[in-house]
Amino acid sequence: AQRVTQPEKLLSVFKGAPVELKCNYSYSGSPELFWYVQYSRQRLQLLLRHISRESIKGFTADLNKGETSFHLKKPFAQEEDSAMYYCALSGAGGSEKLVFGKGTKLTVNP
Amino acid sequence: DVKVTQSSRYLVKRTGEKVFLECVQDMDHENMFWYRQDPGLGLRLIYFSYDVKMKEKGDIPEGYSVSREKKERFSLILESASTNQTSMYLCASGDGELFFGEGSRLTVL
């Protein structure tokens, strides 16, 4: 069964500090992993996906198949990064349904 | 830009009422989804559809049904609303990358 675990409900850091949002997954095949973000009063939107290997808004995430993790990292957090972050998983090719974690609320303090 | 539009942003209904939530997308996506979003529980998939007139149950389909008569439109139906269906409902479309609507906040009294 597909499962996504985000162990932290809340995460609070100071501006300029590094931030890491954890995501672990369970999937028997080759997954496709995503991070979605929801800023206050905005719709949920894609932040990044592992196959693109891009850095978006300074965030990166590396798929570690050995540890079944896809942690989201940013070296220097900004106040505008405060948002709800969801890790999500789908089957290879992204054609299957997307399963989401419970989310981590990130607060970046001035 | 992809646009996913949910017809109602806020609804207040009474227990037992029938509720329709409508969603329209303008990017010709085959896949459409309905999630509910609750604090501490994240997004949970209710139903999804891969094509017109096709539907599949998600993780929490009980108490819900869906309709997809046209490719661009995916409706969520609560036949008899209950208080535990008070939630934010999110519609999405896409393949891999999903595009979400703004959400419909339903309160059942």
Side-chain angles (χ1 to χ4, degrees):
Chain A
Q2 299 169 264
R3 186 184 303 162
V4 177
T5 303
Q6 294 179 250
E8 303 135 331
K9 275 188 179 180
L10 304 170
L11 186 60
S12 183
V13 299
F14 285 102
K15 177 182 172 180
V19 63
E20 181 180 52
L21 291 86
K22 291 184 168 47
C23 173
N24 289 90
Y25 67 90
S26 173
Y27 186 69
S28 56
S30 295
E32 187 164 350
L33 275 295
F34 305 81
W35 276 99
Y36 281 79
V37 61
Q38 189 169 31
Y39 301 102
S40 178
R41 287 184 288 278
Q42 293 188 27
R43 63 182 74 196
L44 196 62
Q45 59 186 290
L46 179 68
L47 180 62
L48 55 82
R49 60 197 300 179
H50 89 270
I51 59 169
S52 64
R53 303 188 67 81
E54 290 179 305
S55 172
I56 306 294
K57 299 185 178 183
F59 284 98
T60 59
D62 291 316
L63 179 60
N64 185 323
K65 291 187 178 180
E67 296 182 0
T68 60
S69 68
F70 188 57
H71 303 326
L72 183 68
K73 301 177 184 179
K74 185 170 183 176
F76 307 104
Q78 303 300 314
E79 289 180 68
E80 55 265 29
D81 296 328
S82 296
M84 194 74 183
Y85 291 81
Y86 293 96
C87 183
L89 172 155
S90 75
S95 59
E96 296 180 20
K97 62 182 183 180
L98 207 58
V99 174
F100 285 83
K102 294 183 178 181
T104 298
K105 184 174 182 179
L106 174 65
T107 302
V108 181
N109 300 297
Chain B
D1 270 352
V2 176
K3 205 64 178 297
V4 178
T5 304
Q6 294 183 230
S7 55
S8 305
R9 292 293 305 277
Y10 301 94
L11 301 95
V12 179
K13 297 292 182 180
R14 296 202 175 275
T15 300
E17 282 192 276
K18 192 169 186 176
V19 182
F20 290 91
L21 300 179
E22 295 202 316
C23 174
V24 177
Q25 52 100 359
D26 66 359
M27 281 302 291
D28 205 35
H29 288 148
E30 293 184 348
N31 304 332
M32 296 189 75
F33 305 81
W34 275 106
Y35 289 89
R36 62 177 283 176
Q37 183 182 31
D38 299 287
L41 296 178
L43 275 74
R44 293 178 292 168
L45 183 62
I46 305 171
Y47 266 98
F48 58 109
S49 169
Y50 287 139
D51 201 351
V52 174
K53 296 193 185 297
M54 289 183 64
K55 60 184 179 184
E56 290 197 36
K57 294 180 180 179
D59 299 317
I60 52 164
E62 297 78 18
Y64 304 94
S65 62
V66 291
S67 172
R68 187 136 182 235
E69 297 295 319
K70 293 184 178 181
K71 191 174 187 179
E72 66 270 19
R73 189 180 298 270
F74 192 36
S75 301
L76 181 69
I77 303 151
L78 289 68
E79 292 288 342
S80 177
S82 62
T83 54
N84 62 11
Q85 292 178 310
T86 291
S87 186
M88 173 69 86
Y89 291 88
L90 299 181
C91 175
S93 73
D95 185 2
E97 177 180 359
L98 294 189
F99 297 87
F100 283 85
E102 291 184 294
S104 298
R105 183 167 293 281
L106 171 67
T107 302
V108 183
L109 302 175

